[in-house]
Amino acid sequence: MRTPTPARSRFLLSAVAAASVAALSLTACGSGSGVPSGAGSARGAAAKSGAIPTTDVVSAVREDGRAAALLPPGTTALTVAVTVGGTPPGTAYLPDGKTLTGQDVDFAEAVAKVLGIRLTIEQAGFEAILPALDSGKYDVGAANFGVTDERRKVIDFVTYINDGQGFATRSDSKLSKITDLRQLCGLNVATGAGTTFEATLEENKKVCSDAGEKPYGVQTYGEQSAVWSSVQQGRSDVVMSTINGLRYAVAHQPGLKFLNEYHRLDVGFAFKKGTKLAPAFQAAVNRLITDGTYDRILRKWGTTASAIDTSRISPPELKN
């Protein structure tokens, strides 16, 4: 994994109300990772999992002059904000406790190689990234941000995968598939704070009372390690998180089972509204798709079911 150069570039674009951006953090996807009980800190969880892929899928990527020509004049370096969730395919630390890795990191670094720019990757709290884009602290957000219609009002996106919402639980649970949130009535649902999952659950609590049933409880946590501890220790009955993160956790940790996909969303790099970077990033992602790098990244992280055919700039929210 390449060590990013600390250089950076800032672009002063039209101002967007910071409060609006902060509010929209509730409609973002989570970091896409899951950590079982007893994992401890994000760095400790990554080190203990013993299953973090280390295949180099980025260093061979070459600059594409046509894509690079779409960058704003003078752009030589950018700062990308990521959120460390603990385990792949989301951003995590390698056992050295210093090197960041994950699907988002690979895509960000591959795009930088195509565009011929230097990259600084910085860790940030999930809910802090969007307001920081607006203030200019970061140029790009890469933390499994789902593309929603509400968010598109103040954030620009360049899509690179398709992920979404799903459910998982303990292997001994009687739950098998959740197709209607009414199936959650009377249960406790663990999820990440400030995510689409929390927003979806809170917005639909009335389905239980409308059906004359006990509402489900929403238990939110700032770290995925706490989410999984909650369900493993019986404080929660089910986890709602990213499809890719749930599948990875179930495949690599004992005592868990994946229930089903619930709602798909496009996922994209996030930018301040009005960015001039979007066309270049879109061209870079599409170059990665055509030259085979894209498929190699997805295969590395076991997320080939999240492949897209072409990158788009701020497409409408998927409705399914």
Side-chain angles (χ1 to χ4, degrees):
M1 194 62 61
R2 180 173 62 87
T3 301
T5 307
R8 70 183 62 183
S9 176
R10 298 283 182 240
F11 299 95
L12 300 178
L13 307 176
S14 58
V16 181
S20 297
V21 180
L24 286 175
S25 65
L26 288 177
T27 63
C29 277
S31 61
S33 59
V35 184
S37 66
S41 68
R43 298 191 188 196
K48 292 179 181 179
S49 71
I52 299 180
T54 56
T55 305
D56 181 1
V57 291
V58 174
S59 64
V61 177
R62 297 291 177 259
E63 182 176 348
D64 184 315
R66 287 175 295 183
L70 298 174
L71 286 167
T75 305
T76 60
L78 296 172
T79 300
V80 178
V82 300
T83 295
V84 176
T87 63
T91 302
Y93 283 101
L94 288 176
D96 64 10
K98 299 182 296 183
T99 306
L100 288 171
T101 188
Q103 181 171 259
D104 293 329
V105 172
D106 275 350
F107 272 118
E109 293 195 332
V111 165
K113 296 274 281 187
V114 172
L115 298 178
I117 58 176
R118 298 185 302 276
L119 202 66
T120 296
I121 298 179
E122 295 188 4
Q123 178 187 351
F126 179 72
E127 295 173 89
I129 293 178
L130 298 185
L133 290 173
D134 183 64
S135 69
K137 183 177 182 180
Y138 307 118
D139 300 303
V140 189
N144 210 72
F145 287 113
V147 181
T148 67
D149 290 336
E150 186 67 19
R151 178 187 291 284
R152 290 190 304 129
K153 296 175 183 178
V154 293
I155 294 291
D156 286 336
F157 293 96
V158 172
T159 61
Y160 58 97
I161 60 168
N162 176 271
D163 196 348
Q165 304 174 335
F167 294 96
T169 187
R170 295 182 302 279
S171 298
D172 60 359
S173 172
K174 295 181 180 179
L175 292 171
S176 58
K177 188 175 183 180
I178 296 173
T179 58
D180 190 317
L181 294 183
R182 285 180 297 180
Q183 294 172 255
L184 299 174
C185 295
L187 302 179
N188 288 319
V189 185
T191 194
T195 60
T196 53
F197 324 117
E198 179 186 7
T200 296
L201 292 168
E202 292 291 351
E203 290 168 4
N204 290 280
K205 269 189 171 181
K206 63 180 181 180
V207 300
C208 295
S209 57
D210 288 350
E213 299 184 48
K214 181 181 178 181
Y216 52 74
V218 181
Q219 300 172 327
T220 58
Y221 301 91
E223 294 186 1
Q224 285 292 315
S225 58
V227 171
W228 287 109
S229 292
S230 178
V231 73
Q232 292 276 27
Q233 296 172 9
R235 297 192 305 276
S236 300
D237 302 293
V238 62
V239 171
M240 187 178 190
S241 189
T242 66
I243 295 168
N244 287 335
L246 293 172
R247 288 189 183 279
Y248 196 95
V250 169
H252 292 83
Q253 304 295 339
L256 302 173
K257 66 178 179 180
F258 180 75
L259 294 178
N260 61 288
E261 297 183 7
Y262 181 73
H263 176 56
R264 280 273 177 177
L265 282 174
D266 285 322
V267 170
F269 293 109
F271 304 85
K272 185 176 182 178
K273 191 68 176 178
T275 182
K276 303 300 182 183
L277 295 171
F281 268 68
Q282 179 190 32
V285 173
N286 285 330
R287 169 59 187 274
L288 295 174
I289 292 174
T290 59
D291 72 12
T293 302
Y294 183 84
D295 183 64
R296 286 190 288 274
I297 292 174
L298 294 185
R299 287 184 181 279
K300 173 182 177 179
W301 299 108
T303 55
T304 53
S306 283
I308 58 174
D309 294 327
T310 187
S311 175
R312 296 192 291 168
I313 297 175
S314 298
E317 179 181 350
L318 293 177
K319 305 292 185 181
N320 61 341

